[in-house]
Amino acid sequence: MPAKTTATGEPLDAATLRELRAIVGAEHVRHADGDVTPYARDATPLFRARPGAVVHPASTEEVAAVLRLAGARGVPVVPRGAGSNLCSATVPLQGGIVLVLTRLDRILEISAEELLAVCQPGVTSAALADAAAAHGLLYAPDPGSRSVATIGGTVATCAGGLRGLKYGVTRNYVLGLEAVLGTGEVIRTGGRLWKDVAGYDLTRLLTGSEGTLGVITEVTLALLPAPETAGNGLAYFPTLADAGRAVTRVIAAGIVPATLEFLDARCVDAVEQHARLGLRRDAGALLIFGDDGEPAAVAQRLDRMAELCRDTGAIEVSVAGHAAESEALLAARRCTLPALSRLGSITILEDVGVPRPRIAEMVGHIEDIAQRHDVTIATFGHAGDGNLHPTCVIDKGDDAAGERAHDAFGEIFRTAMRLGGTITGEHGVGAAKLPYLTERLGAAQIDLQRRIKAAFDPAGILNPGKAGS
Amino acid sequence: MTGFTPDLLNRCIACGFCLPACPTYALTKDETSSPRGRIDLMRALDEGTLPADDPRVREEASFCLGCRACETVCPAGVQYGDLLEEWRDQQWQGSGRPLVARLLMILVDARWRVRLLGLLRRHARTRGGRPEGPSLMLGCFERALFPKVSRAARRLFPELAAPAAQGCCGALHAHNGDSARGRRMAEELGRRLPGTIVTTSGGCAAHLSSVLGRDRVKELSRYAYERDMPGGAEPSRPAAETPPGGVPAETADRPRVALQDSCHLRNGLDVWREPRAMLERIGTYVELPSAGTCCGAAGTYALVRPRDSRRVLDAKLDEIEAAGVDYVAVVNPGCYRQLDQGLRRRKSRVRAVHLAELLAGERPRRREP
């Protein structure tokens, strides 16, 4: 049965609201215009749709009761954490309920013995990492928005981050989940075991499902012993493609470092304006390379990477003096996107991925495409894992530039796919990438995804209008 | 048609980096009570999709503490404090302005009334031969509530002139929906106190700086620091050895001291190393985990929304009591009143003291529990 479409902004009927209040308490159901307006968007530009109500549950039971009610009434439900995603995954395209999980914000357990953490979905990624660090442990996934993004949200979008090359992404750390299906049934997948092949791997299926299959209510995450030390270095290059070639050489030399981030001149300029670290603004590109582990090994690998950068034509190479300097560098890198917004009022960020050896080639294509479509595109990204963030900055109201940007990005996606890459490396599909999903996956897989979605969510109430609908 | 400056409103790209910095988001976990959510409400007002009398819009214009902690974490450089002033200029007109704020604004709007406020309270005063140095701003409520602060400042720095007829800086007006009047009052005060103005109030320092320019206004800790470090070197880490001129070196009795930052001083003027550096000289400095976040005083907030103000304060009081300190130093009269009352209510042994008093050598006795 297809979901009943609630026109966006249209309040839910009185009976539904009454029952929602009975489930979570009156103060946790908001439906007035002013209450719901900020929930019409997440961190993605250009997508907006007002929900009929915003509900803040405080337990798995409340989530399940809300979903049973919504299923019976055919009301769409869009789960949401902090709303920091960049693919409009949490914009309620068909109205209905935005189910906010930020009140479920407890860390339930950190076990140094078992190297794992159990937490509720509303804990921020940074809070979990800090709690793990207090036990001498590392929570490796490190998305740029870690201070804001919730664990539930990072699992639902399978967030990546700055350490993807060496440590992988969120899915490599999710051991088990508790989730509520569209029917209101509560399932627990996986658990505390590293080895467990009993049944289909629904943990992985739910990870990255963007709220279309279930609402995540508890997460068990793998932790690692914290590395003894971490260090970073900087290398400036004439062009971004040069930096890309240096990355290929580093990896070909058998080094798998924790960090290989690159930024073009525009990005460096914006970051420097915000963070004032004394970065050079006259080079064409900046590569931040870094690693963690035993001090001697880290120092040796940093030296080796510095050498490879010089050999590839770096203008200047330096290694950060101490940990605080290193951390400031990465903190500045994490806010590249918002810092870019200083260049114009609308910042459209993209997230393509290509096989590592094709990075320099892809960068060249992006520059060429930007030029042909007459748009300003700044590029930064996780060079080590082939994940690029070409970002277009335009002015609000300049519709012609918006059109050109749209066309340029269409071409960038197709180019990435032609090189064996993808339309999104770590941000997700949401509504933003949906038009390109069939091209990426093929009709048979899209069809299979629909059937999978129908099994988890027969009433079609979970995040309708996105993947699987 | 509303009065938002388009450039200010367009700055926000809704990344959400401000959420974890916001005290009211921490209380509610509700996007609508966050800086990003509030900017959405301002945009809706601006676009006309929400009316000015929308109850939630009115509520959020008031629920925001105005601490500007969001500004320091905003990579896009949104000037939220300015946006809030523009928002309240529209929402807090006439009967839309909270009654307490209205009364206070009337009270401090005339110079003679401000003078009367301080008259019986024996704040610092210089009569006859006016010292050559900068002027000490006496504040409006500080001179009435905590006259000992200006006396301590004058003892510390005898070169400061403290004429009584100086009026109020207008921060109160600027933060309560009348930014135009707030601006004019700052300009008037700037004319009456020519040259550098030293203030013991972080909030006044930020407002005055925004109107008169940063060169003319020195908050006390910054003044003390610069006076001690010719050339105006930025304090990087507190240097404990040399006491500043006029500040007695404390050797025998070194109290344990924490600090409550003044939000506008820290978030608006980036002055936070200075008070720490000064405190290190007179005692053992203890950094509270939430030293940099709002105590809930927030100008008129503690009077307009006492319940929410207490909710913000309570977690901080727990922290102060757990820190095992003798004093918690303040650099703003609003924080002084808030922490003093909060600690008294709890019958805590810890005392709230203004930085100027501690630097002037005062060591109020600890209250018996």
Side-chain angles (χ1 to χ4, degrees):
Chain A
M1 186 185 81
K4 185 177 78 181
T5 301
T6 308
T8 60
E10 190 182 294
L12 301 183
D13 62 84
T16 307
L17 285 171
R18 202 164 43 241
E19 287 182 57
L20 285 171
R21 288 192 199 102
I23 295 167
V24 298
E27 70 272 37
H28 300 301
V29 179
R30 301 293 193 115
H31 62 90
D33 286 351
D35 298 327
V36 305
T37 292
Y39 291 92
R41 56 102 192 87
D42 44 39
T44 322
L46 308 176
F47 289 85
R48 301 183 73 85
R50 244 149 76 160
V54 176
V55 177
H56 281 76
S59 68
T60 304
E61 294 69 40
E62 290 183 5
V63 171
V66 169
L67 288 189
R68 279 195 299 272
L69 172 67
R73 300 274 161 87
V75 177
V77 175
V78 180
R80 173 178 168 124
S84 56
N85 76 84
L86 293 161
C87 63
S88 66
T90 54
V91 173
L93 294 179
Q94 299 178 9
I97 297 167
V98 166
L99 192 67
V100 189
L101 295 144
T102 46
R103 285 177 68 212
L104 286 159
D105 65 348
R106 279 183 304 134
I107 295 172
L108 303 172
E109 181 186 354
I110 303 251
S111 168
E113 244 175 21
E114 283 186 86
L115 289 176
L116 59 79
V118 182
C119 72
Q120 294 188 312
V123 175
T124 66
S125 203
L128 184 77
D130 290 347
H135 288 77
L137 301 171
L138 173 76
Y139 176 59
D142 181 30
S145 55
R146 62 196 290 281
S147 66
V148 193
T150 62
I151 289 293
T154 56
V155 171
T157 54
C158 188
L162 275 62
R163 290 196 276 242
L165 172 61
K166 180 172 178 174
Y167 288 107
V169 295
T170 302
R171 76 163 70 87
N172 303 107
Y173 295 86
V174 184
L175 293 172
L177 292 173
E178 179 189 79
V180 184
L181 307 184
T183 54
E185 294 163 279
V186 179
I187 61 166
R188 292 188 74 94
T189 71
R192 305 168 72 98
L193 306 173
W194 259 247
K195 286 183 171 178
D196 183 357
V197 291
Y200 292 147
D201 192 347
L202 299 184
T203 308
R204 276 223 169 180
L205 182 57
L206 285 165
T207 303
S209 64
E210 298 178 9
T212 61
L213 301 181
V215 179
I216 294 164
T217 48
E218 191 187 292
V219 185
T220 304
L221 294 162
L223 304 174
L224 298 168
E228 253 179 89
T229 186
N232 288 284
L234 292 176
Y236 294 94
F237 290 89
T239 69
L240 197 59
D242 294 327
R245 273 187 285 280
V247 167
T248 308
R249 288 191 64 169
V250 165
I251 295 166
I255 304 174
V256 181
T259 305
L260 274 176
E261 296 290 312
F262 66 179
L263 299 86
D264 71 7
R266 282 197 190 91
C267 297
V268 173
D269 203 50
V271 168
E272 181 59 21
Q273 272 188 46
H274 166 60
R276 297 180 202 287
L277 294 170
L279 299 176
R280 242 177 108 150
R281 289 156 119 162
D282 59 347
L286 167 66
L287 178 70
I288 305 173
F289 54 91
D291 203 7
D292 54 17
E294 288 172 25
V298 170
Q300 192 210 338
R301 281 196 294 269
L302 286 178
D303 283 348
R304 181 81 181 110
M305 285 192 277
E307 192 184 311
L308 288 164
C309 287
R310 278 190 209 96
D311 291 352
T312 323
I315 307 164
E316 186 192 324
V317 183
S318 62
V319 171
H322 48 80
E325 200 180 322
S326 216
E327 188 39 49
L329 198 59
L330 290 184
R333 157 58 194 85
R334 284 188 198 104
C335 58
T336 308
L337 163 69
L340 273 174
S341 70
R342 289 165 188 255
L343 305 178
S345 47
I346 297 178
T347 316
I348 308 166
L349 168 74
E350 274 314 336
D351 175 42
V352 293
V354 291
R356 279 193 294 256
R358 314 207 71 162
I359 276 249
E361 191 182 346
M362 185 66 206
V363 164
H365 285 306
I366 291 172
E367 279 167 13
D368 175 53
I369 291 168
Q371 208 161 38
R372 272 191 287 107
H373 290 271
D374 187 26
V375 284
T376 303
I377 292 184
T379 300
F380 62 100
H382 317 291
D385 50 38
N387 185 197
L388 299 176
H389 296 310
T391 303
C392 186
V393 185
I394 57 177
D395 283 321
K396 198 177 172 185
D398 189 348
D399 295 338
E403 283 291 315
R404 294 201 301 277
H406 182 262
D407 294 346
F409 278 128
E411 204 173 320
I412 287 172
F413 300 146
R414 276 183 282 277
T415 306
M417 286 189 271
R418 186 163 51 74
L419 297 180
T422 185
I423 55 172
T424 172
E426 59 181 3
H427 294 169
V429 175
K433 291 296 175 61
L434 207 52
Y436 308 95
L437 195 61
T438 308
E439 222 172 314
R440 170 78 181 99
L441 299 180
Q445 228 186 120
I446 292 286
D447 205 48
L448 175 61
Q449 292 204 354
R450 287 209 177 100
R451 296 200 299 272
I452 292 172
K453 159 114 174 134
F456 277 73
D457 175 28
I461 54 166
L462 283 170
N463 209 355
K466 312 278 174 63
S469 287
Chain B
M1 187 58 217
T2 57
F4 287 109
T5 307
D7 275 353
L8 290 178
L9 212 48
N10 287 342
R11 215 48 315 199
C12 175
I13 59 157
C15 66
F17 277 43
C18 52
L19 267 57
C22 178
T24 56
Y25 179 73
L27 284 179
T28 60
K29 299 295 174 103
D30 182 4
E31 172 86 32
T32 312
S33 298
S34 77
R36 177 173 67 168
R38 290 183 177 122
I39 288 175
D40 265 330
L41 296 181
M42 295 182 212
R43 282 181 170 154
L45 269 179
D46 195 53
E47 290 160 3
T49 48
L50 283 177
D53 62 356
D54 180 280
R56 187 63 188 266
V57 172
R58 300 193 67 88
E59 163 66 8
E60 289 304 325
S62 153
F63 187 32
C64 174
L65 290 149
C67 69
R68 297 168 62 185
C70 46
E71 287 184 36
T72 62
V73 295
C74 177
V78 173
Q79 292 163 266
Y80 182 87
D82 292 348
L83 279 171
L84 180 65
E85 283 186 16
E86 293 187 354
W87 192 12
R88 286 192 179 160
D89 277 353
Q90 298 164 51
Q91 303 253 246
W92 285 14
Q93 287 305 312
S95 61
R97 182 176 298 148
L99 185 63
V100 188
R102 265 186 280 166
L103 292 175
L104 293 177
M105 283 162 71
I106 293 169
L107 189 60
V108 303
D109 204 16
R111 240 184 332 148
W112 66 267
R113 277 197 294 267
V114 174
R115 205 169 163 176
L116 198 63
L117 274 177
L119 203 62
L120 301 170
R121 300 284 289 153
R122 296 185 301 109
H123 58 75
R125 212 171 309 183
T126 44
R127 272 170 290 209
R130 181 194 149 94
E132 292 293 304
S135 304
L136 176 66
M137 204 191 100
L138 295 166
C140 47
F141 291 102
E142 188 173 73
R143 70 170 74 184
L145 293 176
F146 304 108
K148 55 189 175 176
V149 174
S150 58
R151 291 199 296 270
R154 277 269 297 141
R155 263 203 315 287
L156 259 180
F157 305 118
E159 74 273 20
L160 297 178
Q166 48 177 256
C168 157
C169 74
L172 184 69
H173 288 68
H175 301 153
N176 289 283
D178 192 355
S179 60
R181 177 75 189 128
R183 219 186 145 73
R184 281 199 304 280
M185 289 170 75
E187 285 162 358
E188 283 163 28
L189 187 123
R191 276 193 295 276
R192 278 191 293 273
L193 303 178
T196 302
I197 299 169
V198 176
T199 167
T200 49
S201 157
C204 302
H207 174 65
L208 270 180
S209 297
S210 73
V211 179
L212 301 178
R214 293 188 63 153
D215 293 346
R216 278 198 61 196
V217 183
K218 298 278 177 251
E219 181 274 333
L220 184 99
S221 69
R222 178 79 199 160
Y223 178 72
Y225 197 90
E226 280 183 5
R227 194 169 171 275
D228 196 38
M229 297 280 277
E234 288 298 322
S236 51
R237 46 188 292 276
E241 305 80 39
T242 39
V247 177
E250 197 78 27
T251 45
D253 167 40
R254 285 180 66 79
R256 283 171 62 82
V257 192
L259 175 74
Q260 168 60 46
D261 276 302
S262 149
C263 291
H264 283 200
L265 185 63
R266 183 186 177 107
N267 304 327
L269 295 178
D270 196 30
V271 173
W272 52 275
R273 303 169 195 89
E274 291 86 343
R276 286 168 174 74
M278 300 315 288
L279 285 173
E280 287 247 330
R281 294 175 182 186
I282 60 104
T284 304
Y285 177 69
V286 179
E287 178 80 16
L288 296 173
S290 75
T293 60
C294 185
C295 66
T300 55
Y301 197 90
L303 302 172
V304 174
R305 304 183 65 104
R307 272 191 52 215
D308 292 319
S309 170
R310 296 256 298 253
R311 281 166 82 197
V312 174
L313 175 65
D314 277 341
K316 192 174 288 279
L317 293 178
D318 294 342
E319 241 178 44
I320 292 172
E321 295 203 287
V325 292
D326 302 302
Y327 303 113
V328 52
V330 294
V331 285
N332 186 62
C335 318
Y336 201 164
R337 178 180 172 276
Q338 176 85 343
L339 289 178
D340 187 49
Q341 291 192 346
L343 290 167
R344 277 174 200 277
R345 262 198 309 270
R346 288 201 177 194
K347 303 194 182 348
S348 168
R349 302 179 65 215
V350 183
R351 299 282 300 257
V353 189
H354 195 285
L355 174 72
E357 296 173 79
L358 286 174
L359 293 182
E362 277 160 42
R363 301 287 180 271
R365 274 227 312 272
R366 297 212 279 175
R367 259 189 300 273
E368 291 311 314

